[in-house]
Amino acid sequence: TAMGVIKAALSLHNQVSQAFRKTAKNMHYEFNIRHLSGVFAGLLQAKPSEFTDAEKFVLLWVHESERIYGDRLVTAADLRRYRTLAGELSKKMFSKYNFQKYFQEKNPEVLVFAPFSKGIQDMSEGGCYDKVKDVERLSEILNEAMREYDTVNASMDLVLFEDAMRHVAKICRIISNPSGHPLLVGVGGSGRQSLSRLSAFICQCTTFTIVISSSYGINELKADLQWMYKRSGEKDEGVMFLLTDNQIANEQFLVFFNDLLASGEITDLYTNEDKDTIRNAVRSACKSFNIVDTPDNLWNFYISRVRKNLHMSLCFSPVGDLMWSRARKFPALVNCTVIDWFQQWPVDALLNVAAKFLTPVQQLGPQDSSLRQPIIEFFPFSYEAVNQLSQTYIQEERRFAYSTPKSFLELLKLYVIMLEQKVDSLEDKKQRLSSGLIKLRNTQESVANLEEELKVKAIVVQEKAQKADVFADEVGKEKAKVNAEAEKANIEAVKCSQIAEQVAEKKLECTKDLDAAVPLVAQAEAALDVLDKKEFNELKAFSRPPPGVDTVCEAAVHLQAGIDPVIDVDKKGRVKDRGWKTAVKMMNDPTRFLMNLKGFKGQIDEGNVPAHNVEEARKLKDSMGSDFNPENMKKKSQAAGGLSEWVINIIKYYDVVVQVEPKKKSLRDATETLKQAEERQAQVRALVQELEEKLAALVADYDKAMAEKEDVMLEAEKCQTKLMMAQRLVGALSANGVIWEQTVEKTGEELVLIPGDSLVACSFASYVGVFTREYREAATQRFVEFLQEKEVPLSPSPDPLAALSSEAEQARWCAKGLPRDRASLENGAIMMNSKRWSLIIDPQTQGGAWIKQKESEQDRKLQVTRMGHAKMIQVFEKAISAGTSVLIENMGESIDAVLQPVVARNCIKRGTRRVLKLGDKEINFSPTFALFMQTKLSNPHYPPEIQAECTVINFTVTEQGLEDQLLFLVVKLERPDLARTKSELIQQQNEFKVRLADLEALLLEKLASAEGDILDDVDLICGLEDAKETSDEVKDRVQIAQDNEAKINETSENYRVVANRGSLLFFLMMDLGKMHTFYKYSLDAFVMVATRAINSVSLRKPKEKRKSDEVFEMGEDEAGGGGG
């Protein structure tokens, strides 16, 4: 078997070398020993333990041969031819095996060998290069890898159809080998970069790509290369260097890339000092492999690691000669890479992608609906149809148009968004119209009911008024009674108030006198506070007290006679024994004695102390004269001193109390009088309250009756107002009701047609903007025919322009300077609906002028710049963050690499923010930012990468459009009055269309937003009347303007032949450019020549020649030299 494989490999190599010859177009069709060795290198990737079956080993050879030879082939026809050669050779050399199932034309069995055959979890140990069982297993592995990738990186949301999975397996096969560098050749948007990132993730490589900025040069490239070399060489980590041809901002970059691909060692990448540092960094690793750490060995070890771990994934476009020109100068781009040529996406892949995108779209009905599958099938059909039309366009018109998978995806996104918006808009419109109709019908029905209701309410009002009058009489009578009793209560209140004032005065006087005596008691008690039992014990121990001490004690005895039970008194309450023994007996218990003394004030206050007690004590005090002094007594006895001071102050206090007693009696009497007066007043007040409650009940009944009367009157008045409002509303909207009813029915029909009509419109906006008018119509016709054949509901004559814009929107555009011809309106509709930035081919600068006027409003703040301008980046930075507009004018055929993230709308989420990386800066991306690009080149060749990222719109003036413009020019020169009037009428018509649309929207908005009973909202009805009146006025003015415009057009048509010939002449001159690029003519120059010719003709006498002939001849003479 091994010898058979060797012979087959040699034979196949010879056949391929003979069948596919090198040409200028396919310069890489050169097969030599390098490719043959590549086949056997692939065989050597396999582990012998996995290939014990001879058939499996032969299959590996078949697979590796196709990877080396088949993947380099440019066209599907060449690939089919190769597979035929390989199939025949396999059948001849290995007839005992059934290999034809892998080479059959229809539904061949998938043959894939990949390092991740056992699953991506084994890739950490290098993987196992083996056959993947089937497509289902391949899909399972790669979808698992995709999910893991999305969890740790920005989601790519890829649809891994069969071809995409094959490419992932091919890329993984390449980068699993040392010095494995894939060269992925395909048009922009074919998935080269996304699949490279996924493959790098599977092979556990870090993806790195350079970020181009205005200052990015050789030094920055060296720094990036050094970073990748350090990761791969020093840290022994896998790195994928992802590079697109747009990132080669300087052709000198290719010198470094060529060295990297050829040997891994880049000249002048490091200084000698840097190399020494690197050698030291890898020294320990080098020794671990038993390699002597000489400088050369260390460096070679470092480079070998780089070759093993660093892989370049070159994503180049085959369009044009740029790739081949670079390959001729830097042969390592082809010789040291493994080519994987990305063919057009197959139909099955397109179907799978379309099905995935449309699965969540509810507007298409259930998944098994009869509408969904034809629409899914339309997407691959339209893609292929536009590709075929593009080839015809190139062959017949020598103009370049490309449709890429990116365009296909953009169409899907646009369709999903537009379908949802259209359906929501129509349903909202239908709901608003239905709501308006319901309210209008309810109003019409309620007019008669309101009239009957008004009659009934008039009777009720009369009854309520009579009832309220009866209550009014009763309330008047009761009110008089209440007033009389209230007057009595007021008199009693005055009396009570006077008595209360007197009581307060007396109380204040008594309190004042008593308060003055309080210090006397305090002094007495203070004198007692310094005494204790010991002192009283000493006092009572005297058998014969000192002179005066006995008198003090006797005075205390008299004061407490009848109060202290220890003191014996006679029948009159006087002291029986005035001697010292009685005093000693009184002080027998000092504690009790002190308590009696301190509580004596209370006895006085309660009136328990007889007057003769005080008088006896007073006599004793007075008998001693000045000797009855605390100071004197303290010299004889401390207790006697304190007791003498108590006696003195208590007598004084008693005297005050006796003096105040008459006042207190008077106060008690006055208080009693006040109590009686308050009782009388309370009785009167109770009576008044009773009467007031009765009156309040009557007043409440009266108020209720009056309220009922007012409510009924208000309801009657409201009913009258509602009747009037209903009549006014019916009068204002009756005409609209008929139109709305028709519109509701039409809207219901449109909802059925929306999926198909929107599909035609979205395809038109996504694909055909780059074409001229004739090709647009051809593409639209093919779209419609396919959908009609699949029985998708469509309008009788599907019109993309009508689906993409309304007349009011078109009027707004024309008011801003957009020409009124069909092609220009289509261009405007495509620009306004596309989600990609617009790149307009505008040799006559009409599109640029419209953009400048449209975006010149204050909130847009359009900024105009040019590609390569010194301040271009600053302009973009400000506009992106501020959400304003930018116009790049006079573009060439390329876009600066630094603007690639902006053009591609590569936004990154940072929390709730979206940022866009422009050069080395991250800028907050405002959703209102808009970018427009314009070129004056009449036939530019934009590569597929640009056409995939932008919506290319052909604003070149059409023959019919130029004829209309020249007609206006001729009329302006010959009949300036008519031209001026028509210009004013056009302006008016545009304003009228916009205003009518706004008024209709306003009417529906007012009706839809009205809450509750619409007839109660007077402001709303008045607003509706005003809107209706304004609308009728505008409609009348529109009709007048249309009549005037028709008359002016009729007169202007007399000059049509001149405009027709002028337009024909200009386009004949433009066609000369197909013969030679020298023949270039500008519209401005042509118009100048035509104007000069018309002015010169107008000076001649009309008899000499017909004016139209002269204009044509003069235009022909002048325009012949009017190049520029």
Side-chain angles (χ1 to χ4, degrees):
T1 302
M3 287 304 298
V5 169
I6 293 172
K7 290 179 181 179
L10 293 171
S11 177
L12 181 61
H13 180 78
N14 290 330
Q15 290 184 35
V16 170
S17 299
Q18 294 296 323
F20 302 102
R21 296 285 188 175
K22 180 179 180 180
T23 64
K25 186 176 181 180
N26 298 322
M27 61 169 289
H28 65 299
Y29 277 17
E30 182 179 17
F31 301 96
N32 50 41
I33 195 69
R34 184 189 303 110
H35 302 95
L36 186 60
S37 65
V39 175
F40 286 96
L43 294 174
L44 293 175
Q45 287 188 71
K47 296 179 180 179
S49 60
E50 302 292 338
F51 287 83
T52 56
D53 182 14
E55 181 181 1
K56 186 178 179 182
F57 182 66
V58 176
L59 279 177
L60 178 59
W61 166 75
V62 172
H63 176 268
E64 294 305 310
S65 298
E66 185 163 333
R67 298 289 72 77
I68 296 300
Y69 302 120
D71 289 349
R72 298 173 67 88
L73 302 179
V74 174
T75 63
D78 284 352
L79 183 57
R80 285 194 297 271
R81 186 180 176 191
Y82 164 78
R83 291 176 64 81
T84 300
L85 292 175
E88 291 175 353
L89 182 61
S90 300
K91 184 177 181 181
K92 177 182 176 182
M93 299 291 292
F94 308 101
S95 56
K96 64 179 179 178
Y97 305 126
N98 180 23
F99 288 160
Q100 294 310 305
K101 59 184 178 181
Y102 300 107
F103 295 102
Q104 60 192 17
E105 187 71 25
K106 292 185 178 179
N107 301 321
E109 189 171 320
V110 176
L111 179 61
V112 174
F113 285 79
F116 52 76
S117 59
K118 305 299 182 185
I120 61 172
Q121 65 275 3
D122 290 345
M123 292 302 294
S124 58
E125 299 177 1
C128 177
Y129 193 69
D130 198 1
K131 183 176 182 294
V132 180
K133 182 180 177 182
D134 49 31
V135 177
E136 288 73 21
R137 176 57 180 161
L138 182 61
S139 176
E140 179 185 342
I141 294 172
L142 294 184
N143 277 295
E144 179 188 354
M146 188 74 250
R147 286 191 294 272
E148 289 189 17
Y149 178 91
D150 288 343
T151 58
V152 296
N153 299 283
S155 176
M156 292 193 291
D157 196 24
L158 295 180
V159 180
L160 292 173
F161 48 85
E162 186 177 316
D163 262 33
M165 292 189 292
R166 286 174 180 266
H167 283 297
V168 173
K170 294 174 186 178
I171 299 169
C172 287
R173 168 188 171 274
I174 296 168
I175 65 176
S176 296
N177 293 313
S179 298
H181 308 292
L183 172 57
L184 310 180
V185 185
V187 296
S190 55
R192 298 165 300 169
Q193 296 184 58
S194 300
L195 298 181
S196 293
R197 293 179 187 276
L198 178 58
S199 301
F201 177 77
I202 292 172
C203 294
Q204 299 191 342
C205 292
T206 302
T207 303
F208 179 84
T209 183
I210 60 177
V211 179
I212 300 298
S213 65
S214 56
S215 60
Y216 194 91
I218 298 294
N219 293 331
E220 288 72 23
L221 176 63
K222 280 186 176 182
D224 286 339
L225 287 170
Q226 288 170 2
W227 182 88
M228 288 184 281
Y229 268 52
K230 183 173 183 178
R231 293 292 293 267
S232 58
E234 291 185 25
K235 299 184 179 181
D236 199 22
E237 297 176 3
V239 177
M240 173 181 276
F241 179 17
L242 182 59
L243 181 74
T244 67
D245 43 11
N246 290 332
Q247 290 175 316
I248 304 176
N250 186 339
E251 292 296 309
Q252 292 182 11
F253 290 0
L254 292 168
V255 176
F256 296 87
F257 301 151
N258 190 76
D259 289 347
L260 190 157
L261 295 170
S263 64
E265 186 169 359
I266 300 175
T267 307
D268 297 332
L269 181 61
Y270 293 110
T271 63
N272 291 331
E273 292 78 6
D274 292 336
K275 288 184 178 181
D276 290 337
T277 303
I278 291 169
R279 291 187 182 102
N280 291 328
V282 300
R283 190 179 302 276
S284 59
C286 182
K287 287 181 178 180
S288 67
F289 285 91
N290 296 321
I291 300 174
V292 180
D293 56 344
T294 63
D296 289 342
N297 287 345
L298 291 171
W299 185 252
N300 291 334
F301 177 79
Y302 173 71
I303 295 298
S304 67
R305 271 191 171 183
V306 170
R307 289 169 61 83
K308 181 187 74 170
N309 294 321
L310 179 57
H311 310 279
M312 280 194 75
S313 180
L314 302 171
C315 302
F316 284 1
S317 171
V319 178
D321 298 327
L322 184 60
M323 185 180 79
W324 303 123
S325 172
R326 288 170 171 172
R328 282 191 292 270
K329 297 175 184 177
F330 304 97
L333 293 177
V334 172
N335 295 338
C336 298
T337 57
V338 180
I339 298 177
D340 182 11
W341 203 283
F342 278 58
Q343 305 289 349
Q344 283 284 352
W345 282 10
V347 174
D348 290 345
L350 299 174
L351 280 171
N352 290 338
V353 174
K356 179 185 176 182
F357 266 88
L358 299 182
T359 296
V361 179
Q362 299 177 356
Q363 289 81 2
L364 297 179
Q367 298 300 318
D368 57 350
S369 68
S370 59
L371 176 64
R372 185 176 291 270
Q373 189 57 35
I375 287 181
I376 291 174
E377 293 174 0
F378 172 83
F379 285 94
F381 165 78
S382 61
Y383 180 71
E384 293 295 332
V386 172
N387 275 334
Q388 295 171 9
L389 192 65
S390 298
Q391 294 301 318
T392 306
Y393 194 53
I394 293 172
Q395 293 168 4
E396 294 180 355
E397 301 293 329
R398 296 184 182 180
R399 290 179 174 271
F400 297 91
Y402 299 100
S403 294
T404 67
K406 179 78 171 179
S407 310
F408 177 81
L409 295 175
E410 291 293 339
L411 168 59
L412 279 166
K413 294 176 184 177
L414 179 61
Y415 179 65
V416 170
I417 294 172
M418 182 176 289
L419 180 61
E420 183 177 354
Q421 291 175 344
K422 289 281 186 184
V423 171
D424 290 348
S425 175
L426 274 178
E427 288 181 342
D428 180 62
K429 182 179 180 181
K430 183 179 179 181
Q431 190 274 330
R432 289 191 178 196
L433 290 172
S434 300
S435 174
L437 280 172
I438 291 171
K439 290 176 180 177
L440 184 59
R441 289 169 184 163
N442 292 341
T443 304
Q444 292 172 336
E445 293 171 0
S446 64
V447 169
N449 296 334
L450 287 170
E451 290 176 346
E452 291 298 323
E453 185 180 347
L454 192 60
K455 293 178 182 178
V456 174
K457 287 188 183 298
I459 298 173
V460 175
V461 168
Q462 186 176 2
E463 293 176 354
K464 296 291 182 182
Q466 293 174 353
K467 185 177 178 181
D469 292 341
V470 172
F471 273 117
D473 292 339
E474 293 182 10
V475 169
K477 294 176 183 178
E478 290 297 325
K479 195 171 183 180
K481 292 180 182 179
V482 172
N483 290 338
E485 293 298 327
E487 184 64 27
K488 294 179 182 179
N490 291 335
I491 293 171
E492 290 296 329
V494 171
K495 290 180 180 179
C496 285
S497 177
Q498 291 173 350
I499 295 171
E501 288 178 2
Q502 294 172 2
V503 169
E505 289 176 0
K506 291 178 180 180
K507 186 176 181 180
L508 179 63
E509 186 178 353
C510 290
T511 303
K512 183 178 179 183
D513 292 342
L514 289 173
D515 289 345
V518 170
L520 300 175
V521 179
Q523 290 176 14
E525 290 178 349
L528 296 175
D529 286 340
V530 299
L531 302 179
D532 55 17
K533 291 167 56 176
K534 180 181 177 183
E535 293 168 340
F536 279 106
N537 286 331
E538 291 176 355
L539 179 61
K540 72 180 182 177
F542 289 122
S543 58
R544 294 185 67 186
V549 171
D550 54 346
T551 306
V552 172
C553 291
E554 184 182 351
V557 169
H558 284 294
L559 285 172
Q560 295 193 86
I563 295 171
D564 188 349
V566 174
I567 302 172
D568 295 329
V569 294
D570 58 16
K571 294 180 179 179
K572 295 182 179 179
R574 300 179 183 275
V575 178
K576 285 183 178 182
D577 183 7
R578 299 187 176 203
W580 176 247
K581 290 182 179 180
T582 303
V584 171
K585 186 178 181 181
M586 178 184 66
M587 297 182 291
N588 189 45
D589 185 353
T591 302
R592 183 185 61 79
F593 178 57
L594 280 171
M595 289 178 63
N596 289 340
L597 295 178
K598 291 181 178 180
F600 199 74
K601 174 183 176 296
Q603 298 293 338
I604 296 173
D605 292 341
E606 293 174 5
N608 296 330
V609 180
H612 60 79
N613 287 14
V614 178
E615 291 303 322
E616 289 293 337
R618 192 194 311 275
K619 290 177 182 178
L620 291 173
K621 179 178 78 70
D622 293 342
S623 66
M624 288 183 67
S626 59
D627 291 335
F628 200 96
N629 185 302
E631 298 298 327
N632 293 334
M633 290 299 140
K634 284 180 183 178
K635 295 176 182 178
K636 300 174 182 179
S637 170
Q638 189 71 25
L643 191 59
S644 64
E645 188 171 357
W646 176 81
V647 169
I648 294 169
N649 286 300
I650 282 297
I651 293 172
K652 290 179 180 178
Y653 180 73
Y654 178 83
D655 293 342
V656 172
V657 170
V658 170
Q659 292 174 4
V660 173
E661 184 58 30
K663 296 179 181 179
K664 292 175 71 175
K665 182 177 184 303
S666 175
L667 175 62
R668 285 194 294 272
D669 294 341
T671 302
E672 183 64 25
T673 304
L674 175 62
K675 182 179 179 182
Q676 294 172 359
E678 286 176 343
E679 288 176 355
R680 288 195 305 275
Q681 184 184 16
Q683 293 173 357
V684 175
R685 283 182 175 175
L687 178 61
V688 172
Q689 184 177 0
E690 181 181 352
L691 293 173
E692 284 180 343
E693 288 175 355
K694 185 177 179 181
L695 176 62
L698 287 173
V699 171
D701 292 340
Y702 172 73
D703 290 342
K704 183 178 179 182
M706 289 300 294
E708 290 177 356
K709 174 185 174 183
E710 291 177 1
D711 289 343
V712 173
M713 292 179 66
L714 187 62
E715 286 181 14
E717 184 181 350
K718 185 177 180 181
C719 185
Q720 178 66 42
T721 304
K722 285 179 71 173
L723 178 61
M724 181 180 65
M725 290 293 106
Q727 292 170 343
R728 290 171 63 180
L729 184 62
V730 171
L733 300 180
S734 56
N736 292 68
V738 178
I739 300 173
W740 290 351
E741 192 167 359
Q742 295 172 351
T743 306
V744 168
E745 295 176 1
K746 185 179 178 184
T747 303
E749 298 172 359
E750 288 179 353
L751 283 171
V752 178
L753 305 176
I754 277 294
D757 288 351
S758 296
L759 191 54
V760 174
C762 290
S763 303
F764 184 88
S766 295
Y767 286 144
V768 304
V770 68
F771 295 113
T772 55
R773 177 82 180 127
E774 296 79 10
Y775 288 86
R776 292 182 182 183
E777 292 177 349
T780 305
Q781 185 61 32
R782 293 188 67 179
F783 298 159
V784 172
E785 288 174 354
F786 177 86
L787 293 174
Q788 288 175 341
E789 182 182 337
K790 295 292 183 178
E791 298 182 351
V792 175
L794 289 172
S795 301
S797 299
D799 184 4
L801 179 58
L804 293 172
S805 61
S806 64
E807 286 191 1
E809 289 174 324
Q810 295 170 19
R812 288 189 182 96
W813 302 338
C814 294
K816 294 292 184 180
L818 184 69
R820 296 176 59 86
D821 61 280
R822 168 81 185 196
S824 296
L825 291 174
E826 288 177 352
N827 293 337
I830 292 171
M831 180 182 293
M832 299 306 293
N833 284 274
S834 176
K835 302 305 176 186
R836 294 175 286 172
W837 307 133
S838 297
L839 168 55
I840 62 173
I841 301 171
D842 189 27
Q844 288 82 38
T845 68
Q846 294 181 338
W850 171 57
I851 291 172
K852 288 178 181 178
Q853 193 167 351
K854 179 177 72 72
E855 296 293 316
S856 62
E857 298 174 2
Q858 188 173 2
D859 59 330
R860 300 306 303 149
K861 296 180 181 178
L862 176 70
Q863 298 186 62
V864 181
T865 186
R866 296 195 178 191
M867 198 67 71
H869 190 273
K871 294 186 178 181
M872 179 184 70
I873 301 301
Q874 290 88 329
V875 168
F876 271 94
E877 289 174 356
K878 293 179 182 178
I880 291 170
S881 59
T884 55
S885 306
V886 174
L887 169 63
I888 303 176
E889 62 179 5
N890 297 342
M891 278 183 54
E893 293 184 342
S894 63
I895 296 176
D896 283 0
V898 68
L899 291 182
Q900 185 61 29
V902 181
V903 175
R905 296 157 294 148
N906 291 334
C907 291
I908 307 167
K909 278 194 173 182
R910 293 279 188 266
T912 57
R913 298 181 301 119
R914 294 176 69 204
V915 298
L916 192 146
K917 199 161 187 178
L918 185 59
D920 53 357
K921 291 184 180 179
E922 282 191 354
I923 304 167
N924 287 334
F925 183 84
S926 171
T928 58
F929 168 72
L931 171 61
F932 304 92
M933 293 166 280
Q934 178 231 27
T935 179
K936 289 184 179 180
L937 301 175
S938 59
N939 185 18
H941 180 191
Y942 289 110
E945 289 74 20
I946 293 179
Q947 296 201 26
E949 300 292 357
C950 308
T951 299
V952 182
I953 306 175
N954 193 342
F955 259 87
T956 304
V957 67
T958 62
E959 190 169 344
Q960 181 61 45
L962 180 59
E963 182 177 323
D964 292 340
Q965 294 179 38
L966 290 178
L967 176 61
F968 184 77
L969 174 66
V970 175
V971 173
K972 183 178 179 181
L973 293 171
E974 293 293 307
R975 293 287 305 273
D977 56 331
L978 288 181
R980 184 168 53 255
T981 304
K982 183 172 183 178
S983 179
E984 293 172 354
L985 286 175
I986 291 173
Q987 183 68 22
Q988 286 181 359
Q989 291 280 54
N990 292 337
E991 292 175 357
F992 290 160
K993 288 179 182 178
V994 173
R995 195 169 182 189
L996 282 174
D998 293 342
L999 286 171
E1000 183 178 357
L1002 177 63
L1003 285 173
L1004 292 175
E1005 177 66 28
K1006 284 179 175 290
L1007 282 174
S1009 61
E1011 297 180 357
D1013 191 348
I1014 190 174
L1015 298 178
D1016 293 336
D1017 196 338
V1018 178
D1019 293 337
L1020 171 64
I1021 294 176
C1022 292
L1024 292 174
E1025 283 184 324
D1026 293 342
K1028 179 65 172 58
E1029 183 179 349
T1030 305
S1031 177
D1032 291 341
E1033 180 184 349
V1034 170
K1035 287 178 182 177
D1036 294 339
R1037 294 172 67 183
V1038 166
Q1039 187 58 49
I1040 295 171
Q1042 288 175 345
D1043 294 342
N1044 292 336
E1045 186 178 10
K1047 294 176 183 178
I1048 293 173
N1049 289 341
E1050 184 179 354
T1051 305
S1052 300
E1053 284 300 312
N1054 295 326
Y1055 300 93
R1056 172 69 67 179
V1057 63
V1058 180
N1060 178 268
R1061 291 185 180 185
S1063 177
L1064 177 62
L1065 173 61
F1066 178 76
F1067 276 90
L1068 287 172
M1069 293 164 58
M1070 292 297 292
D1071 285 340
L1072 293 176
K1074 297 178 181 178
M1075 298 169 56
H1076 197 285
T1077 56
F1078 174 78
Y1079 298 106
K1080 290 185 179 179
Y1081 302 91
S1082 72
L1083 181 60
D1084 290 341
F1086 179 80
V1087 169
M1088 187 182 299
V1089 172
T1091 302
R1092 192 161 62 241
I1094 293 172
N1095 287 333
S1096 62
V1097 169
S1098 63
L1099 298 175
R1100 301 181 184 179
K1101 294 180 181 180
K1103 294 181 179 180
E1104 296 179 6
K1105 278 189 180 182
R1106 287 188 303 123
K1107 183 179 297 183
S1108 58
D1109 292 339
E1110 289 186 7
V1111 170
F1112 179 73
E1113 290 170 4
M1114 288 300 295
E1116 212 169 19
D1117 294 340
E1118 298 280 358

